[in-house]
Amino acid sequence: MMNSYESKDVPSEITLAESEKPQVLELKISSLEEQCVGTASCREVLGQEPVNMERLELLRNVCEDASLKNVTYSGISRFVLDRIFVSDKYKILFCQTPKVGNTQWKKVLIVLNGAFSSIKKIPESLVHDHEKNHLPRLSSYRKPEVKKRLNSYFKFLIVRDPFDRLISAFKDKFLQNPRFEPWYKHEIAPAIIQRYRKNHTEVRGLQFEDFVRYLGDPNHRWLDVQFGDHIIHWATYVELCAPCEIKYDVIGHHETLRNDAPYILKKAGVDHLISYPPIPPGITEYNRTKVKQYFLGLSKRDIRRLYTRFQGDFKLFGYSKPSFLLV
Protein backbone atom coordinates (compact mmCIF):
# COMPACT_ATOMS: atom_id res chain seq x y z
CA MET A 1 0.00 0.00 0.00
CA MET A 2 1.46 3.32 -1.10
CA ASN A 3 1.56 6.24 1.27
CA SER A 4 2.01 9.22 -1.05
CA TYR A 5 -0.66 10.53 -3.41
CA GLU A 6 1.88 11.52 -6.01
CA SER A 7 3.00 7.95 -6.61
CA LYS A 8 -0.63 6.81 -6.91
CA ASP A 9 -1.92 9.66 -9.08
CA VAL A 10 -3.97 11.10 -6.22
CA PRO A 11 -3.83 14.89 -5.72
CA SER A 12 -3.63 16.64 -2.36
CA GLU A 13 -7.35 17.41 -2.65
CA ILE A 14 -10.14 15.81 -4.66
CA THR A 15 -12.96 17.88 -6.11
CA LEU A 16 -16.18 16.27 -7.22
CA ALA A 17 -18.12 18.07 -9.91
CA GLU A 18 -21.85 18.47 -9.26
CA SER A 19 -22.56 15.70 -11.76
CA GLU A 20 -20.14 13.43 -9.91
CA LYS A 21 -21.44 14.04 -6.41
CA PRO A 22 -23.35 10.97 -5.24
CA GLN A 23 -26.89 11.15 -4.04
CA VAL A 24 -27.91 9.36 -0.86
CA LEU A 25 -28.03 5.69 -1.80
CA GLU A 26 -31.31 3.84 -2.01
CA LEU A 27 -31.50 0.42 -0.38
CA LYS A 28 -29.97 -2.37 -2.41
CA ILE A 29 -32.93 -4.72 -2.06
CA SER A 30 -36.07 -2.53 -2.38
CA SER A 31 -36.98 -0.92 0.92
CA LEU A 32 -36.45 -1.47 4.61
CA GLU A 33 -40.19 -1.74 5.08
CA GLU A 34 -40.46 -4.66 2.66
CA GLN A 35 -37.56 -6.40 4.39
CA CYS A 36 -38.94 -5.96 7.90
CA VAL A 37 -42.31 -7.69 7.67
CA GLY A 38 -43.21 -9.51 10.88
CA THR A 39 -39.91 -9.13 12.74
CA ALA A 40 -39.90 -7.10 15.96
CA SER A 41 -36.16 -6.40 15.92
CA CYS A 42 -36.34 -5.41 12.28
CA ARG A 43 -39.24 -3.04 12.98
CA GLU A 44 -36.99 -1.31 15.50
CA VAL A 45 -34.43 -0.87 12.74
CA LEU A 46 -37.16 0.48 10.48
CA GLY A 47 -37.93 3.09 13.12
CA GLN A 48 -34.50 4.65 12.54
CA GLU A 49 -35.24 5.40 8.90
CA PRO A 50 -37.10 8.70 9.49
CA VAL A 51 -34.52 9.64 12.14
CA ASN A 52 -31.71 9.25 9.62
CA MET A 53 -33.65 11.09 6.91
CA GLU A 54 -34.14 13.99 9.31
CA ARG A 55 -30.43 14.05 10.15
CA LEU A 56 -29.47 14.05 6.45
CA GLU A 57 -31.97 16.83 5.68
CA LEU A 58 -30.55 18.97 8.49
CA LEU A 59 -27.03 18.33 7.20
CA ARG A 60 -27.99 19.42 3.68
CA ASN A 61 -29.70 22.56 4.90
CA VAL A 62 -26.77 23.64 7.08
CA CYS A 63 -24.30 22.86 4.30
CA GLU A 64 -26.27 25.17 2.00
CA ASP A 65 -26.17 28.04 4.51
CA ALA A 66 -23.56 30.36 3.02
CA SER A 67 -23.17 32.23 6.31
CA LEU A 68 -21.79 29.06 7.94
CA LYS A 69 -19.46 27.95 5.14
CA ASN A 70 -16.33 28.91 7.08
CA VAL A 71 -17.22 26.34 9.79
CA THR A 72 -18.90 23.65 7.64
CA TYR A 73 -16.74 23.35 4.53
CA SER A 74 -13.72 21.10 4.21
CA GLY A 75 -12.28 19.86 0.95
CA ILE A 76 -11.71 16.16 0.27
CA SER A 77 -8.03 16.32 1.22
CA ARG A 78 -5.42 13.68 1.93
CA PHE A 79 -6.20 14.15 5.62
CA VAL A 80 -9.87 13.27 4.97
CA LEU A 81 -9.09 10.31 2.71
CA ASP A 82 -6.75 8.95 5.40
CA ARG A 83 -9.73 8.85 7.78
CA ILE A 84 -11.96 6.75 5.50
CA PHE A 85 -11.69 2.96 5.74
CA VAL A 86 -12.77 0.70 2.91
CA SER A 87 -14.49 -2.65 2.48
CA ASP A 88 -14.37 -3.33 -1.24
CA LYS A 89 -16.03 -6.71 -0.81
CA TYR A 90 -19.21 -5.11 0.52
CA LYS A 91 -18.76 -1.62 -0.95
CA ILE A 92 -18.66 0.24 2.35
CA LEU A 93 -16.81 3.41 3.38
CA PHE A 94 -16.52 4.34 7.05
CA CYS A 95 -15.15 7.72 8.12
CA GLN A 96 -13.26 7.46 11.39
CA THR A 97 -14.25 9.98 14.07
CA PRO A 98 -12.25 9.09 17.20
CA LYS A 99 -13.94 8.91 20.62
CA VAL A 100 -17.31 7.77 19.26
CA GLY A 101 -16.80 3.99 19.22
CA ASN A 102 -14.89 3.88 15.94
CA THR A 103 -12.65 1.04 17.20
CA GLN A 104 -15.63 -1.30 17.19
CA TRP A 105 -16.60 -0.27 13.67
CA LYS A 106 -13.08 -0.94 12.49
CA LYS A 107 -13.41 -4.44 13.96
CA VAL A 108 -16.65 -4.92 12.03
CA LEU A 109 -14.93 -3.96 8.77
CA ILE A 110 -11.89 -6.13 9.50
CA VAL A 111 -14.19 -9.15 9.79
CA LEU A 112 -16.15 -8.17 6.68
CA ASN A 113 -12.88 -7.87 4.76
CA GLY A 114 -12.15 -11.50 5.66
CA ALA A 115 -9.07 -11.08 7.85
CA PHE A 116 -10.79 -12.75 10.83
CA SER A 117 -13.88 -14.90 11.14
CA SER A 118 -15.26 -13.03 14.16
CA ILE A 119 -14.71 -9.86 16.17
CA LYS A 120 -13.67 -11.85 19.25
CA LYS A 121 -10.70 -13.30 17.37
CA ILE A 122 -9.18 -9.91 16.49
CA PRO A 123 -6.22 -9.07 18.79
CA GLU A 124 -6.66 -5.60 20.30
CA SER A 125 -3.10 -4.72 19.32
CA LEU A 126 -3.94 -5.30 15.66
CA VAL A 127 -7.04 -3.11 15.35
CA HIS A 128 -5.07 0.13 15.01
CA ASP A 129 -2.08 -1.42 13.22
CA HIS A 130 -2.88 -0.25 9.72
CA GLU A 131 -0.03 -2.22 8.21
CA LYS A 132 -1.51 -5.53 9.38
CA ASN A 133 -5.25 -5.19 9.94
CA HIS A 134 -6.26 -5.59 6.27
CA LEU A 135 -8.29 -2.39 6.48
CA PRO A 136 -7.27 -0.10 3.61
CA ARG A 137 -7.73 3.66 3.72
CA LEU A 138 -9.31 5.48 0.80
CA SER A 139 -6.05 7.44 0.39
CA SER A 140 -4.32 4.26 -0.80
CA TYR A 141 -6.25 4.25 -4.11
CA ARG A 142 -5.64 6.17 -7.32
CA LYS A 143 -7.72 9.27 -7.99
CA PRO A 144 -10.24 7.57 -10.38
CA GLU A 145 -10.69 4.71 -7.89
CA VAL A 146 -11.26 7.17 -5.06
CA LYS A 147 -13.96 8.98 -7.03
CA LYS A 148 -15.62 5.71 -8.02
CA ARG A 149 -15.87 4.59 -4.41
CA LEU A 150 -17.11 7.97 -3.18
CA ASN A 151 -19.80 7.90 -5.86
CA SER A 152 -21.04 4.33 -5.48
CA TYR A 153 -20.22 2.86 -2.04
CA PHE A 154 -22.38 2.99 1.09
CA LYS A 155 -20.90 5.70 3.32
CA PHE A 156 -21.42 6.39 7.02
CA LEU A 157 -19.93 8.18 10.00
CA ILE A 158 -20.70 8.41 13.72
CA VAL A 159 -20.86 11.67 15.69
CA ARG A 160 -21.24 12.65 19.33
CA ASP A 161 -21.96 15.84 21.25
CA PRO A 162 -18.80 17.82 20.34
CA PHE A 163 -17.96 19.01 23.86
CA ASP A 164 -18.64 15.57 25.36
CA ARG A 165 -16.26 14.10 22.79
CA LEU A 166 -13.53 16.62 23.70
CA ILE A 167 -13.82 15.65 27.36
CA SER A 168 -13.50 11.98 26.40
CA ALA A 169 -10.42 12.72 24.27
CA PHE A 170 -8.80 14.74 27.07
CA LYS A 171 -9.40 12.00 29.67
CA ASP A 172 -8.33 9.17 27.36
CA LYS A 173 -5.14 10.72 26.01
CA PHE A 174 -3.89 12.94 28.84
CA LEU A 175 -5.23 11.38 32.05
CA GLN A 176 -5.77 7.65 31.54
CA ASN A 177 -3.83 6.77 28.36
CA PRO A 178 -4.83 3.07 28.39
CA ARG A 179 -2.92 2.22 25.21
CA PHE A 180 0.33 3.67 26.57
CA GLU A 181 0.91 6.44 24.06
CA PRO A 182 3.60 8.42 25.94
CA TRP A 183 3.86 11.19 23.36
CA TYR A 184 0.60 12.73 24.61
CA LYS A 185 2.06 13.26 28.09
CA HIS A 186 5.69 13.91 27.19
CA GLU A 187 5.42 15.85 23.91
CA ILE A 188 1.94 17.21 23.24
CA ALA A 189 0.94 18.22 26.79
CA PRO A 190 4.15 20.24 27.47
CA ALA A 191 3.78 22.07 24.16
CA ILE A 192 0.19 23.08 25.00
CA ILE A 193 1.15 24.10 28.55
CA GLN A 194 4.06 26.22 27.35
CA ARG A 195 1.87 28.13 24.90
CA TYR A 196 -1.46 28.37 26.70
CA ARG A 197 -1.01 28.15 30.48
CA LYS A 198 -1.47 31.57 32.02
CA ASN A 199 0.47 30.83 35.22
CA HIS A 200 3.75 29.20 34.23
CA THR A 201 4.78 28.68 37.85
CA GLU A 202 2.20 25.86 38.06
CA VAL A 203 3.77 22.43 37.72
CA ARG A 204 0.61 20.37 37.30
CA GLY A 205 0.11 18.25 34.20
CA LEU A 206 -2.11 19.38 31.39
CA GLN A 207 -5.42 20.76 32.67
CA PHE A 208 -8.70 20.85 30.75
CA GLU A 209 -8.50 24.64 30.81
CA ASP A 210 -5.17 24.52 28.93
CA PHE A 211 -6.67 22.09 26.42
CA VAL A 212 -9.72 24.30 25.80
CA ARG A 213 -7.56 27.40 25.35
CA TYR A 214 -5.45 25.60 22.74
CA LEU A 215 -8.46 24.27 20.82
CA GLY A 216 -10.24 27.63 20.81
CA ASP A 217 -7.22 29.60 19.59
CA PRO A 218 -7.87 30.76 16.00
CA ASN A 219 -4.13 30.18 15.42
CA HIS A 220 -4.14 26.61 16.75
CA ARG A 221 -2.93 25.16 13.44
CA TRP A 222 0.72 25.96 14.05
CA LEU A 223 0.65 23.43 16.92
CA ASP A 224 -1.55 21.01 14.97
CA VAL A 225 1.16 20.71 12.33
CA GLN A 226 3.66 19.86 15.06
CA PHE A 227 1.33 17.22 16.54
CA GLY A 228 0.59 15.55 13.18
CA ASP A 229 -2.15 12.91 12.95
CA HIS A 230 -2.50 12.81 16.74
CA ILE A 231 -4.92 15.74 16.37
CA ILE A 232 -7.59 13.41 14.94
CA HIS A 233 -8.79 12.83 18.51
CA TRP A 234 -9.95 16.44 18.77
CA ALA A 235 -10.24 17.62 15.16
CA THR A 236 -13.75 18.64 14.12
CA TYR A 237 -16.03 16.25 12.23
CA VAL A 238 -15.90 18.78 9.40
CA GLU A 239 -12.09 18.48 9.22
CA LEU A 240 -12.15 14.69 9.56
CA CYS A 241 -14.93 13.68 7.16
CA ALA A 242 -15.86 16.65 4.91
CA PRO A 243 -19.61 16.02 5.39
CA CYS A 244 -20.66 18.88 3.10
CA GLU A 245 -18.63 17.46 0.20
CA ILE A 246 -19.05 13.72 0.71
CA LYS A 247 -22.69 12.59 0.61
CA TYR A 248 -22.97 10.15 3.50
CA ASP A 249 -25.86 7.71 3.53
CA VAL A 250 -26.17 7.35 7.29
CA ILE A 251 -25.19 9.58 10.20
CA GLY A 252 -25.09 7.61 13.42
CA HIS A 253 -25.08 9.26 16.82
CA HIS A 254 -23.02 7.90 19.69
CA GLU A 255 -25.88 8.68 22.06
CA THR A 256 -28.31 6.44 20.09
CA LEU A 257 -25.82 3.81 18.95
CA ARG A 258 -27.96 0.93 20.24
CA ASN A 259 -30.49 1.80 17.55
CA ASP A 260 -28.15 3.25 14.96
CA ALA A 261 -25.66 0.34 14.79
CA PRO A 262 -28.16 -2.33 13.61
CA TYR A 263 -29.72 0.23 11.27
CA ILE A 264 -26.33 0.95 9.66
CA LEU A 265 -25.62 -2.75 9.18
CA LYS A 266 -29.08 -3.25 7.67
CA LYS A 267 -28.67 -0.33 5.27
CA ALA A 268 -25.23 -1.63 4.27
CA GLY A 269 -26.73 -5.04 3.53
CA VAL A 270 -24.47 -6.93 5.93
CA ASP A 271 -26.68 -7.39 9.01
CA HIS A 272 -27.00 -11.12 8.23
CA LEU A 273 -23.20 -11.44 8.36
CA ILE A 274 -22.18 -9.57 11.49
CA SER A 275 -23.49 -7.70 14.53
CA TYR A 276 -22.08 -4.65 16.23
CA PRO A 277 -20.32 -5.65 19.49
CA PRO A 278 -22.39 -5.39 22.69
CA ILE A 279 -22.51 -1.86 24.10
CA PRO A 280 -21.76 -1.67 27.86
CA PRO A 281 -24.58 -0.04 29.86
CA GLY A 282 -24.27 3.72 30.18
CA ILE A 283 -21.27 4.10 27.89
CA THR A 284 -23.20 6.01 25.21
CA GLU A 285 -25.31 8.15 27.54
CA TYR A 286 -24.83 11.90 27.37
CA ASN A 287 -24.05 13.19 30.85
CA ARG A 288 -25.08 16.83 30.81
CA THR A 289 -23.92 17.34 34.41
CA LYS A 290 -20.46 15.95 33.69
CA VAL A 291 -20.01 18.28 30.72
CA LYS A 292 -21.16 21.28 32.73
CA GLN A 293 -18.77 20.40 35.58
CA TYR A 294 -15.79 20.20 33.21
CA PHE A 295 -16.52 23.68 31.91
CA LEU A 296 -17.27 25.12 35.35
CA GLY A 297 -14.71 27.78 36.22
CA LEU A 298 -13.47 28.24 32.66
CA SER A 299 -13.68 31.77 31.30
CA LYS A 300 -16.67 32.54 29.08
CA ARG A 301 -14.26 33.92 26.51
CA ASP A 302 -12.37 30.60 26.25
CA ILE A 303 -15.61 28.60 26.03
CA ARG A 304 -17.06 30.89 23.37
CA ARG A 305 -13.90 30.62 21.29
CA LEU A 306 -14.07 26.84 21.61
CA TYR A 307 -17.71 26.84 20.52
CA THR A 308 -16.86 29.05 17.56
CA ARG A 309 -14.40 26.46 16.32
CA PHE A 310 -16.82 23.54 16.78
CA GLN A 311 -19.93 25.46 15.75
CA GLY A 312 -20.13 23.61 12.44
CA ASP A 313 -20.23 20.25 14.23
CA PHE A 314 -23.00 21.43 16.56
CA LYS A 315 -25.16 22.78 13.75
CA LEU A 316 -24.57 20.12 11.09
CA PHE A 317 -25.47 17.25 13.38
CA GLY A 318 -28.24 18.78 15.45
CA TYR A 319 -26.54 19.25 18.81
CA SER A 320 -27.85 22.09 20.96
CA LYS A 321 -25.63 24.96 22.00
CA PRO A 322 -24.53 24.22 25.60
CA SER A 323 -26.80 25.81 28.21
CA PHE A 324 -23.85 27.38 30.03
CA LEU A 325 -23.20 29.49 26.92
CA LEU A 326 -26.74 30.81 26.87
CA VAL A 327 -26.39 32.80 30.11
Side-chain angles (χ1 to χ4, degrees):
M1 192 180 298
M2 311 286 284
N3 289 324
S4 68
Y5 276 176
E6 291 74 14
S7 58
K8 295 280 288 188
D9 190 32
V10 182
S12 59
E13 185 166 307
I14 285 183
T15 301
L16 297 178
E18 284 302 318
S19 60
E20 292 181 302
K21 290 184 179 180
Q23 301 300 312
V24 175
L25 290 179
E26 297 296 327
L27 276 178
K28 299 174 184 176
I29 305 178
S30 61
S31 73
L32 278 175
E33 189 169 0
E34 292 171 349
Q35 295 178 65
C36 289
V37 175
T39 307
S41 60
C42 200
R43 285 196 296 273
E44 291 179 7
V45 173
L46 177 62
Q48 288 303 107
E49 181 79 348
V51 173
N52 186 56
M53 291 299 103
E54 185 176 328
R55 290 171 180 173
L56 292 176
E57 181 65 21
L58 172 65
L59 179 72
R60 283 192 290 267
N61 289 338
V62 177
C63 286
E64 291 172 1
D65 188 338
S67 68
L68 294 172
K69 188 171 183 179
N70 64 318
V71 292
T72 60
Y73 173 78
S74 176
I76 308 175
S77 63
R78 169 66 183 256
F79 182 76
V80 171
L81 296 178
D82 273 345
R83 309 279 75 78
I84 299 177
F85 295 98
V86 184
S87 172
D88 279 323
K89 186 175 182 180
Y90 295 100
K91 297 185 176 181
I92 297 172
L93 299 180
F94 164 59
C95 187
Q96 174 192 24
T97 50
K99 309 316 304 172
V100 297
N102 88 91
T103 296
Q104 304 299 344
W105 284 111
K106 287 167 77 172
K107 290 179 181 178
V108 167
L109 291 182
I110 288 170
V111 171
L112 289 175
N113 283 352
F116 290 87
S117 59
S118 73
I119 285 175
K120 291 182 179 179
K121 293 183 179 180
I122 304 174
E124 287 296 326
S125 60
L126 185 133
V127 178
H128 301 291
D129 187 339
H130 298 122
E131 297 296 323
K132 300 178 181 178
N133 65 11
H134 302 278
L135 192 54
R137 300 171 190 253
L138 195 53
S139 57
S140 66
Y141 296 83
R142 297 180 188 276
K143 180 179 177 180
E145 294 299 311
V146 170
K147 286 190 173 185
K148 182 180 80 172
R149 285 162 175 77
L150 286 174
N151 284 330
S152 61
Y153 281 20
F154 173 82
K155 298 170 288 296
F156 75 100
L157 77 158
I158 312 293
V159 296
R160 177 182 189 175
D161 177 270
F163 280 5
D164 194 24
R165 172 177 170 250
L166 291 181
I167 292 170
S168 179
F170 174 76
K171 290 168 61 179
D172 183 60
K173 298 304 174 186
F174 298 106
L175 301 184
Q176 299 163 349
N177 208 314
R179 294 196 183 97
F180 186 64
E181 299 164 314
W183 47 88
Y184 287 100
K185 179 179 179 181
H186 298 301
E187 297 176 25
I188 294 178
I192 294 174
I193 290 170
Q194 182 179 6
R195 176 67 179 85
Y196 294 101
R197 180 162 294 177
K198 290 183 177 179
N199 184 357
H200 286 280
T201 62
E202 289 185 13
V203 294
R204 296 180 299 167
L206 185 73
Q207 301 297 298
F208 189 63
E209 180 181 16
D210 307 320
F211 190 55
V212 166
R213 203 169 286 128
Y214 149 58
L215 293 177
D217 182 0
N219 299 311
H220 64 87
R221 294 189 185 281
W222 72 275
L223 265 188
D224 288 354
V225 172
Q226 178 182 328
F227 298 156
D229 273 4
H230 300 310
I231 67 166
I232 65 172
H233 298 282
W234 50 81
T236 67
Y237 302 132
V238 171
E239 294 165 329
L240 292 167
C241 297
C244 287
E245 283 297 292
I246 298 173
K247 303 304 181 186
Y248 291 94
D249 302 290
V250 177
I251 300 168
H253 282 219
H254 183 72
E255 297 84 356
T256 56
L257 198 54
R258 289 184 184 278
N259 296 325
D260 290 343
Y263 173 74
I264 289 168
L265 295 176
K266 188 74 176 177
K267 289 280 280 188
V270 296
D271 57 305
H272 62 295
L273 299 173
I274 194 167
S275 298
Y276 189 81
I279 301 171
I283 198 168
T284 60
E285 292 179 8
Y286 174 67
N287 189 329
R288 196 176 304 277
T289 302
K290 178 197 71 176
V291 174
K292 190 172 182 178
Q293 286 175 343
Y294 259 83
F295 284 88
L296 192 67
L298 273 60
S299 77
K300 283 289 194 292
R301 174 181 176 272
D302 289 341
I303 300 175
R304 288 193 183 100
R305 290 177 70 171
L306 181 71
Y307 177 77
T308 297
R309 179 179 173 193
F310 287 86
Q311 182 181 11
D313 287 356
F314 276 98
K315 291 186 176 294
L316 286 166
F317 302 109
Y319 288 102
S320 301
K321 189 174 184 177
S323 58
F324 46 81
L325 275 175
L326 300 177
V327 294

